Amino acid sequence: KHYVRSGNASWKRAAQAFTHLDAFFGETTKVITITKARVSDYQDARLEAGAARNSIRYEIGVLSAAFGVAVDQDVLATKPVFKQPAEGEKRTGFIEATDFAVLVASLPREVADLIRYLRMTGWRRGEGSGLVWAQVDWDDEHFPGEHDEPVPGPNACIRISESDTKGGDARTFPFANASELRDLLLARSRVRNGLHVFHRNGKPIGDFRKVWSKACKVAGLEGRLVHDLRRSAARDFRRAGVSEGEIMKLCGWKTRDMFDRYNIIDQADLTRAVARRFGDANGNASGENGKQTANKQASAA
């Protein structure tokens, strides 16, 4: 009830956590029996069942939040503090451009378009699959009269409200100067059928794990997650010179801590950084330093 009242977009994920909590503690268990020791037992049981550490941390966080709501509503007097298990390893999966092309080619058209959108924007899966045409602002007031399809103006953008995002932050993603994204949205407008931008015969795209898994196998990307597209998009933005603050605004990271957890700097990035600082293996300056040196040499000549 609290999640619904607050308009929290992540209830589906929280409900999954409660499924595991209910299975262990029992739906009719008394609050007084949910002690720190029992919560530790829960963590052990989940680890033994093969659950990821970060998933367990999330579930304990949901349990703690439930106690917090009970205290806020005067159902309980105090809120216990449960010790969290150690963090699991940060995921470092990226999907490179060549692999991504094979992946997309192996997916059904409607799913492929959604996957392309997620890779371009860095948005979460639910934010992409739930996107409706009312959230796409074509900024086409300067093109009056009838035309076969939208004519994006200079301020064309996608807008989603606070209630549509996991972090509860309204977001704007301009696409007037993003030709690939603009063309994708125009292509989707040509097959428009109902409210949703991405759909299957007019209905929102639901679970596509089977086709995703099959396409990943074809592309040699077994074990990769749809969420890895978010990490890959953030790295693409950073490599293009976009500031980290701007990436957080565009893709929807509310805190720097959450952004850092995505570990978007890889070995190749570090190698390029060192090359820019110290020059290449032959001692020649590279990157911007190289350009400046070349310019100075040309001027001197």
Side-chain angles (χ1 to χ4, degrees):
K1 286 180 181 179
H2 171 76
Y3 263 72
V4 173
R5 202 160 38 237
S6 303
N8 196 312
S10 61
W11 166 248
K12 185 176 180 181
R13 178 69 183 89
Q16 293 173 349
F18 275 116
T19 298
H20 294 294
L21 292 165
D22 288 343
F24 182 85
F25 292 106
E27 292 185 7
T28 59
T29 190
K30 293 184 182 297
V31 170
I32 197 170
T33 67
I34 305 179
T35 61
K36 293 181 180 180
R38 284 293 287 155
V39 171
S40 293
D41 290 341
Y42 172 80
Q43 294 176 19
D44 292 340
R46 292 287 285 134
L47 284 170
E48 213 172 294
R53 285 183 174 273
N54 290 334
S55 294
I56 301 171
R57 288 174 62 86
Y58 177 80
E59 290 158 14
I60 298 303
V62 167
L63 178 63
S64 180
F67 272 94
V69 173
V71 172
D72 287 343
Q73 297 184 357
D74 296 327
V75 176
L76 294 177
T78 60
K79 171 186 171 181
V81 178
F82 302 121
K83 187 176 180 180
Q84 288 277 22
E87 284 191 71
E89 292 184 8
K90 296 179 182 178
R91 285 192 57 84
T92 57
F94 296 101
I95 301 180
E96 305 297 341
T98 51
D99 294 330
F100 184 70
V102 178
L103 174 68
V104 167
S106 305
L107 289 167
R109 162 77 186 277
E110 65 275 8
V111 176
D113 283 352
L114 171 58
I115 291 303
R116 289 176 57 211
Y117 177 83
L118 297 178
R119 173 62 187 264
M120 283 187 261
T121 60
W123 285 12
R124 299 174 182 87
R125 177 171 55 183
E127 294 167 348
S129 60
L131 187 69
V132 295
W133 286 113
Q135 295 168 320
V136 180
D137 180 0
W138 295 103
D139 185 38
D140 56 358
E141 292 85 358
H142 299 295
F143 302 93
E146 294 184 5
H147 23 267
D148 294 335
E149 61 183 35
V151 183
N155 297 311
C157 64
I158 303 160
R159 306 178 193 274
I160 54 176
S161 65
E162 296 176 356
S163 61
D164 296 317
T165 66
K166 180 180 178 182
D169 56 323
R171 197 176 317 145
T172 300
F173 198 103
F175 64 85
N177 297 316
S179 58
E180 188 178 355
L181 178 56
R182 185 179 65 239
D183 291 346
L184 172 63
L185 291 172
L186 285 170
R188 292 306 305 170
S189 74
R190 295 177 195 125
V191 293
R192 182 167 177 168
N193 184 0
L195 299 176
H196 287 80
V197 176
F198 304 100
H199 61 84
R200 283 184 178 133
N201 300 318
K203 297 180 180 180
I205 295 175
D207 186 7
F208 56 87
R209 281 177 292 183
K210 287 185 179 179
V211 294
W212 169 264
S213 179
K214 185 178 178 180
C216 284
K217 188 173 182 179
V218 173
L221 297 170
E222 290 182 274
R224 293 299 172 84
L225 305 176
V226 173
H227 209 64
D228 288 337
L229 298 170
R230 183 164 163 78
R231 183 179 296 101
S232 300
R235 186 183 64 173
D236 289 346
F237 276 119
R238 195 185 55 74
R239 286 181 173 177
V242 181
S243 73
E244 293 183 352
E246 290 167 326
I247 297 172
M248 290 171 65
K249 282 284 188 183
L250 287 168
C251 301
W253 278 285
K254 203 166 187 178
T255 66
R256 180 54 191 265
D257 180 60
M258 289 303 299
F259 180 74
D260 288 343
R261 277 195 55 77
Y262 275 70
N263 200 22
I264 63 172
I265 298 177
D266 63 10
Q267 182 65 39
D269 294 325
L270 298 177
T271 299
R272 277 188 291 272
V274 173
R276 284 196 299 270
R277 169 64 179 85
F278 295 102
D280 60 23
N282 297 318
N284 299 315
S286 59
E288 290 302 315
N289 290 335
K291 291 178 184 177
Q292 293 170 7
T293 302
N295 291 337
K296 288 179 182 178
Q297 290 173 343
S299 298

